[in-house]
């Protein structure tokens, strides 16, 4: 039980003993009613016993009467939840463990006494052990402490009853055992007890998670003082791995440093954990390295992702489906998460591989066999189909809704509130982008899902998720149809600013940069206020984002932000900066790596440069866009993408031809005219207005003449084909003979 809570009990009892009347005591009880629970009743009974031992029987009787009165108000049976009842159960279970510590023997006894596996038993255990152990002979004290350790392990393993109370019992058990197994007399057992305490705090439900993780790291480091590499190499290596897990989950401190410490600890562990000697533990470390590199902040994101994939694949060399089916399926799920965000390779192919890995994992994690993991993967599939490039976008979004709703079959709000909220958040993302149905209604359903999620994702308990959901609401209000547009944008700015109150740069640098970028979008769209000031604020937020979105670490986000800046510099007439920003974006957005993005960025540069009469930059932008367009058959898979790609494509050819002509590059102009496959573009080359000198150059005239002759030949061939087709259709069909028919 929490030491603070015990002290509160004792302080309240001390106040009660100072009261002159019973009525005055009941007033104190009413003031401190939030502390009045079964644990407080046990504390009253314990203090009453101490008073009786000191020959203060009247005071002891008054405390016991008060306990019974409070027990009645709480609806607790005084006979079944007394100090004696808990102590009897504790002694009985320790005697049972002495005879046989097999879980199959002990668990039925624990199941029959689930009502006592709570904080009160933790308090009774603490007081009983503190009193009894010093009175026992040394050897008997060691045996008893050993049985308490076994009891703590069994309670920790037992899956029925109150998990929070069970973990408190285990922690108290290990702590009292450590008073017997001291470091100076029993160094190895002391180290084992420190490890047990670390494991218990890692699973602890009570208390702040950040505090519990600090305790985990503390106890593991304590264990390492005895588990040295030269004396206990395997225990040392396992502890290094466990500290790595704690650092990877750590909340306090610098997130970047924590992940580096985790990776260091994992690599330390691999110095002693070899695949040929302990393959399963080796695979665990490989899997942990995969998780750490997938979240790593230091170094280039692309390198970290590839290292994560490498370590996951290493783990799979041991975690085969037939030998370790659950671990195999979990790694498949991790690979799905990673490939969905992978930078290297083609994005569409990565997404398809992610979906494949999720479906592989579902071969093991079925609804009946492991509903929680099944639901988690359904959620992941929902995200994957929401982001999917291949296939029809509208159908992908319907599948995303289906998978998120599948997850909600398991994630009920009362049973799994956090996962229920996550599914609501994911559904909000999908509804806000849905193509089928009414767009306005879809967005409102999305907002409703986000607000549902925020009923669980409060800032106090789930600050990170609370901030994500506020960012999602901000992005949604930027494109909301219902309500006044200007007011919606104000709400969007408000939601993003709320997110920044959690996403500080020092604690969440990447999320901070994302939110800065979102604020840039919102200020760019803002209607209230002066337009120029809004755009300047948008530029400020984009430049803030670029402090974290460096080209080396986050190339895609860096390029996307350059694109945003280019589009803002245009209306501000900051032409050189706009051109430079578009050019920088195109250094990352190439037709091979990001075809759709390169098409859009190339158009932005080409159109703006054409308007400004900058022919070299016009050619540069449209050349990239046209290359992406002409290879679109290999990457355009949906009607939605096709509508973006085929948005006035001839306009690009006309302008790049015009730019080449204005530069005197007639051969290149002719090449693009031919590549357009458009007679209209060619005809434009034949107009005098297309040329500064109002004269059509000789080379162009020759091309136009050759083109016209070619078109005439094509026309003759097409007419000939039509005539042949018409004759075939009019020709009488010969009747087959009876023999032929037979």
């Amino acid at each position: 039980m929490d030491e603070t809570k015990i002290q509160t009990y004792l302080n309240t009892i001390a106040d009660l003993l100072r009261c002159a009347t019973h009525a005055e005591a009941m007033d104190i009880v009413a003031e401190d009613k939030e502390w009045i629970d079964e644990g407080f009743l046990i504390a009253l009974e314990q203090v009453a016993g101490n008073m009786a031992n000191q020959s203060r029987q009247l005071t002891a009787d008054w405390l016991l009467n008060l306990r019974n009165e409070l027990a009645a108000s709480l609806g607790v049976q005084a006979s079944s939840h007394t100090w004696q009842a808990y102590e009897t159960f504790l002694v009985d279970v320790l005697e049972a463990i002495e005879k046989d510590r097999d879980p199959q023997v002990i668990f039925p006894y624990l199941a029959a006494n689930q009502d006592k596996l709570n904080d009160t038993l933790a308090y009774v255990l603490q007081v009983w052990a503190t009193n009894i152990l010093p009175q026992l002979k040394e050897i008997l004290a060691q045996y008893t402490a050993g049985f308490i350790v076994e009891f703590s392990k069994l309670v920790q393993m037992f899956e029925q009853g109150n998990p929070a109370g069970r973990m408190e019992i285990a922690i108290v058990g290990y702590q009292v055992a450590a008073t017997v197994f001291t470091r100076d007399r029993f160094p190895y057992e002391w180290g084992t007890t420190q490890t047990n305490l670390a494991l218990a705090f890692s699973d602890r439900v009570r208390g702040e998670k950040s505090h519990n993780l600090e305790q985990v790291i503390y106890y593991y480091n304590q264990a390492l003082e005895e588990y040295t590499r030269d004396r206990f190499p395997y225990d040392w290596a396992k502890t290094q791995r466990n500290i790595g897990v704690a650092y990877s989950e750590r909340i306090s401190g610098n997130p970047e440093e924590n992940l580096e410490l985790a990776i260091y600890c994992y690599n330390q562990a691999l110095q002693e954990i070899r695949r040929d000697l302990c393959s399963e533990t080796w695979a665990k470390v490989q899997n942990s390295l995969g998780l750490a590199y997938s979240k790593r902040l230091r170094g280039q994101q692309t390198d970290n992702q590839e290292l994560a994939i490498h370590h996951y694949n290493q783990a799979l060399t041991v975690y085969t489906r037939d030998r370790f089916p659950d671990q195999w399926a979990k790694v498949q799920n991790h690979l799905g998460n990673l490939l969905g965000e992978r930078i290297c390779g083609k994005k569409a192919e990565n997404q398809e591989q992610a979906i494949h890995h999720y479906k592989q994992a579902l071969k093991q994690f079925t609804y009946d066999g492991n509903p929680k993991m099944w639901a988690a993967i359904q959620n992941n599939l929902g995200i994957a189909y929401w982001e999917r490039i291949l296939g029809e976008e509208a159908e992908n979004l319907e599948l995303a809704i289906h998978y998120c709703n599948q997850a909600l079959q398991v994630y009920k709000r009362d049973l799994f509130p956090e996962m229920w909220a996550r599914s609501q958040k994911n559904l909000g993302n999908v509804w806000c982008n849905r193509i089928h149905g009414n767009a306005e209604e879809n967005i409102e359903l999305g907002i409703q899902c986000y607000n549902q999620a925020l009923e669980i994702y409060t800032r106090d308990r789930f600050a990170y998720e609370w901030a994500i959901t506020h960012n999602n609401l901000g992005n949604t209000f930027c494109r909301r149809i219902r309500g006044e547009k200007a007011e919606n944008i104000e709400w969007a700015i408000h939601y993003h600013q709320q997110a920044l109150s959690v996403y500080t740069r020092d604690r969440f640098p990447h999320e901070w940069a994302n939110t800065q970028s979102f604020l840039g979008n919102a200020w760019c769209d803002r209607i209230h206020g002066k337009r120029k000031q809004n755009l300047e604020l948008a530029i400020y937020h984009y430049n803030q984002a670029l402090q974290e979105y460096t080209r080396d670490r986050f190339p895609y986000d860096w390029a996307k932000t350059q694109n945003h800046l280019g589009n803002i510099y245009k209306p501000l007439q900051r032409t050189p900066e706009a051109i430079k920003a578009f050019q920088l974006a195109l250094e990352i957005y190439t037709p091979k790596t990001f075809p759709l993005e390169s098409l859009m960025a190339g158009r932005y540069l080409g159109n703006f440069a054409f308007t400004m009469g900058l022919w070299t930059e016009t050619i540069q932008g449209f050349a990239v866009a046209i290359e992406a367009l002409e290879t679109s058959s290999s990457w355009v898979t949906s009607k939605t993408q096709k509508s973006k790609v085929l948005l006035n494509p001839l306009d690009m050819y006309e302008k790049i031809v015009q730019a080449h002509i204005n530069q005197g590059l007639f051969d290149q102009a002719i090449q693009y005219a031919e590549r357009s496959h458009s007679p209209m573009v060619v005809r434009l080359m034949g107009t005098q207005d297309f040329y500064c000198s109002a004269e059509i150059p000789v080379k162009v005239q020759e091309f136009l003449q050759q083109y016209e002759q070619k078109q005439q030949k094509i026309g003759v061939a097409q007419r000939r084909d039509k005539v042949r087709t018409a004759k075939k259709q009019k020709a009488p069909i010969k009747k087959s003979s009876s023999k032929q028919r037979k």
Side-chain angles (χ1 to χ4, degrees):
M1 184 182 290
D2 192 287
E3 292 289 339
T4 304
K5 198 171 187 180
I6 294 173
Q7 192 58 50
T8 303
Y9 289 160
L10 297 177
N11 291 341
T12 303
I13 293 171
D15 291 339
L16 292 172
L17 291 172
R18 284 191 287 268
C19 293
T21 65
H22 183 73
E24 187 180 342
M26 294 307 293
D27 288 339
I28 290 176
V29 168
E31 290 176 6
D32 295 336
K33 61 183 178 181
E34 68 271 15
W35 292 106
I36 308 304
D37 56 14
E38 290 183 35
F40 182 70
L41 301 184
I42 295 292
L44 275 173
E45 186 181 352
Q46 176 67 8
V47 174
N50 293 337
M51 293 292 176
N53 292 335
Q54 297 170 17
S55 300
R56 298 172 63 184
Q57 192 60 48
L58 287 175
T59 304
D61 291 343
W62 179 77
L63 286 174
L64 287 175
N65 288 333
L66 178 62
R67 178 211 179 279
N68 293 337
E69 188 177 341
L70 294 175
S73 68
L74 289 173
V76 176
Q77 294 182 5
S79 60
S80 63
H81 289 77
T82 63
W83 180 276
Q84 188 60 45
Y86 277 100
E87 191 173 291
T88 300
F89 163 70
L90 178 62
V91 172
D92 287 347
V93 76
L94 290 176
E95 289 176 353
I97 290 170
E98 181 182 8
K99 294 174 184 176
D100 192 343
R101 63 188 66 184
D102 187 341
Q104 294 184 357
V105 174
I106 304 301
F107 281 178
Y109 188 64
L110 296 180
N113 292 273
Q114 284 185 54
D115 59 332
K116 294 183 181 67
L117 299 179
N118 52 32
D119 285 4
T120 303
L121 181 61
Y123 176 46
V124 172
L125 171 60
Q126 185 179 45
V127 174
W128 178 84
T130 303
N131 290 334
I132 200 79
L133 288 173
Q135 300 176 26
L136 299 175
K137 291 183 178 180
E138 184 177 0
I139 189 67
L140 189 55
Q142 293 168 23
Y143 276 118
T144 305
F147 298 144
I148 291 173
V149 168
E150 289 303 317
F151 171 63
S152 299
K153 289 180 181 178
L154 289 165
V155 167
Q156 206 171 340
M157 292 165 55
F158 188 62
E159 293 185 351
Q160 299 178 40
N162 180 0
R166 287 190 287 104
M167 211 53 61
E168 297 306 302
I169 295 167
I171 289 170
V172 168
Y174 296 135
Q175 287 173 337
V176 296
T179 63
V180 174
F181 298 129
T182 57
R183 184 181 176 189
D184 56 340
R185 300 194 59 206
F186 304 96
Y188 185 82
E189 289 77 5
W190 178 84
T192 303
T193 306
Q194 301 301 309
T195 298
N196 289 335
L197 277 165
L199 289 169
F201 271 98
S202 68
D203 293 332
R204 194 183 186 212
V205 178
R206 298 276 166 76
E208 290 290 329
K209 187 175 181 180
S210 59
H211 169 73
N212 291 338
L213 285 169
E214 293 307 301
Q215 291 294 99
V216 172
I217 294 169
Y218 167 77
Y219 283 117
Y220 277 136
N221 280 320
Q222 286 285 92
L224 282 177
E225 293 185 14
E226 287 301 324
Y227 290 164
T228 58
R229 185 178 178 185
D230 55 340
R231 293 176 61 210
F232 305 105
Y234 186 68
D235 293 314
W236 173 84
K238 280 203 306 182
T239 308
Q240 290 289 350
R241 185 255 172 187
N242 291 337
I243 295 178
V245 172
Y247 274 118
S248 69
E249 297 175 355
R250 193 184 189 202
I251 297 170
S252 301
N254 183 287
E256 184 176 322
E257 289 297 329
N258 290 338
L259 285 170
E260 294 307 306
L261 285 167
I263 291 168
Y264 170 78
C265 290
Y266 294 143
N267 284 319
Q268 286 286 93
L270 286 177
Q271 293 183 33
E272 290 295 335
I273 298 173
R274 291 167 48 189
R275 181 181 172 181
D276 55 341
L277 296 177
C278 38
S279 59
E280 186 176 356
T281 308
W282 178 86
K284 280 184 182 178
V285 181
Q286 295 292 343
N287 185 46
S288 298
L289 276 166
L291 281 168
Y293 276 110
S294 68
K295 298 188 292 183
R296 193 186 188 206
L297 299 172
R298 192 170 292 177
Q300 292 192 12
Q301 190 180 12
T302 51
D303 294 340
N304 291 335
Q305 288 179 343
E306 297 311 301
L307 281 167
I309 291 170
H310 165 74
H311 287 294
Y312 283 139
N313 285 324
Q314 287 288 92
L316 285 176
T317 62
V318 174
Y319 288 158
T320 57
R321 187 180 175 189
D322 55 340
R323 290 187 61 212
F324 302 98
D326 281 5
Q327 291 88 338
W328 171 84
K330 285 179 181 178
V331 177
Q332 295 291 341
N333 186 43
H334 291 325
L335 279 168
N337 294 337
L338 186 57
L339 286 162
E341 300 175 352
R342 191 187 187 201
I343 296 172
C344 291
K346 294 183 178 179
K347 191 173 181 65
E349 291 178 5
N350 290 338
Q351 289 174 342
E352 297 307 300
Q353 286 185 46
I355 291 170
H356 166 74
H357 284 294
Y358 290 140
K359 291 182 176 178
Q360 286 287 95
L362 285 176
K363 292 179 180 179
Q364 176 62 23
F365 293 137
T366 61
Y367 178 83
D368 295 328
N370 193 326
K372 283 182 67 176
M373 279 304 300
W374 177 86
I377 298 166
Q378 297 292 329
N379 233 342
N380 291 339
L381 277 167
I383 296 170
Y385 275 98
W386 169 49
E387 297 175 341
R388 193 185 187 208
I389 295 172
L390 299 182
E392 286 298 328
E393 186 176 358
E395 295 306 317
N396 288 338
L397 291 172
E398 296 306 303
L399 282 168
I401 292 172
H402 163 75
Y403 283 116
C404 289
N405 283 324
Q406 287 282 90
L408 286 172
Q409 291 184 31
V410 175
Y411 293 151
K412 304 298 182 184
R413 180 174 177 173
D414 55 339
L415 295 175
F416 303 104
E418 186 178 353
M419 298 309 298
W420 175 85
R422 183 178 298 178
S423 295
Q424 293 294 340
K425 175 174 69 72
N426 291 340
L427 271 171
N429 295 337
V430 183
W431 278 110
C432 289
N433 291 279
R434 192 183 184 220
I435 295 170
H436 289 327
N438 181 279
E440 181 179 334
E441 290 297 328
N442 290 341
I443 290 174
E444 295 307 307
L445 282 168
I447 292 171
Q448 180 182 328
C449 288
Y450 291 141
N451 285 323
Q452 290 270 87
L454 286 174
E455 292 177 13
I456 303 298
Y457 286 160
T458 61
R459 182 174 177 182
D460 292 338
R461 295 187 61 219
F462 300 100
Y464 186 91
E465 291 78 7
W466 178 86
I468 286 179
T469 312
H470 273 77
N471 264 341
N472 290 345
L473 279 166
N475 291 332
T476 303
F477 269 83
C478 269
R479 43 194 287 267
R480 192 185 187 205
I481 298 169
R482 190 170 294 178
E484 290 293 327
K485 178 73 174 174
E487 292 306 315
N488 287 339
I489 299 297
E490 297 305 304
W491 274 108
I493 292 170
H494 165 75
Y495 284 124
H496 292 315
Q497 288 172 337
Q498 288 284 93
L500 277 181
S501 67
V502 171
Y503 289 157
T504 58
R505 187 179 177 189
D506 57 337
R507 292 198 62 207
F508 303 105
H510 189 249
E511 291 81 355
W512 174 83
N514 281 341
T515 311
Q516 294 290 346
S517 182
F518 296 150
L519 275 167
N521 298 341
W523 281 103
C524 187
D525 294 338
R526 192 179 188 229
I527 296 170
H528 289 325
K530 294 182 179 180
R531 179 65 175 157
K532 185 177 180 181
Q533 290 178 353
N534 291 340
L535 292 178
E536 292 294 342
L537 278 167
I539 291 171
Y540 165 78
H541 286 293
Y542 286 137
N543 282 323
Q544 287 286 94
L546 286 174
Q547 293 183 38
E548 288 296 328
Y549 286 163
T550 61
R551 179 171 176 169
D552 291 339
R553 293 174 61 203
F554 302 103
Y556 184 89
D557 295 316
W558 178 83
K560 186 177 181 180
T561 309
Q562 297 295 343
N563 235 349
H564 288 323
L565 284 168
N567 281 316
I568 293 180
Y569 288 139
K570 288 194 299 182
L572 292 174
Q573 298 181 345
R574 292 163 65 171
T575 301
E577 291 165 284
I579 294 291
K580 183 63 177 177
F582 289 135
Q583 288 172 332
L584 289 173
L586 286 174
E587 290 179 10
I588 302 298
Y589 289 162
T590 66
K592 290 183 179 179
T593 55
F594 301 103
L596 180 59
E597 290 85 350
S598 68
L599 173 61
M600 304 304 291
R603 271 179 170 161
Y604 292 146
L605 174 58
N607 283 326
F608 179 61
F610 187 87
T611 303
M612 304 307 295
L614 302 170
W615 309 123
T616 300
E617 290 78 6
T618 301
I619 292 168
Q620 180 189 4
F622 284 132
V624 173
I626 288 170
E627 183 182 348
L629 174 70
E630 291 177 348
T631 60
S632 61
S633 60
S634 65
W635 55 271
V636 174
T637 59
S638 69
K639 292 178 182 177
T640 307
Q641 276 191 334
K642 193 172 288 185
S643 66
K644 293 178 182 178
V645 170
L646 299 180
L647 180 64
N648 197 13
L650 292 181
D651 181 64
M652 294 193 297
Y653 285 101
E654 291 172 11
K655 289 177 178 176
I656 198 170
V657 167
Q658 175 77 74
H660 277 110
I661 287 173
N662 290 347
Q663 290 284 82
L665 303 171
F666 302 120
D667 289 338
Q668 291 89 332
I670 291 168
Q671 289 174 10
Y672 276 103
E674 288 180 322
R675 285 167 64 177
S676 72
H677 302 291
S678 169
M680 184 175 70
V681 174
V682 176
R683 282 197 294 272
L684 282 171
M685 292 185 69
T687 59
Q688 292 180 337
D689 294 341
F690 221 54
Y691 305 91
C692 297
S693 62
E695 293 182 3
I696 302 173
V698 175
K699 186 173 288 188
V700 176
Q701 291 179 20
E702 291 173 355
F703 161 70
L704 292 172
Q705 187 176 3
Q706 292 170 2
Y707 181 83
E708 187 61 34
Q709 291 172 357
K710 189 184 296 182
Q711 290 298 108
Q712 288 175 0
K713 289 180 181 179
I714 292 171
V716 170
Q718 288 175 341
R719 287 192 294 274
R720 189 184 302 121
D721 289 341
K722 286 182 181 179
V723 171
R724 287 175 180 171
T725 303
K727 286 181 179 179
K728 286 181 181 179
Q729 291 173 348
K730 291 180 181 179
I733 301 173
K734 293 182 179 180
K735 293 183 179 180
S736 59
S737 66
S738 59
K739 288 183 179 180
Q740 288 173 326
R741 287 198 301 274
K742 188 174 180 181

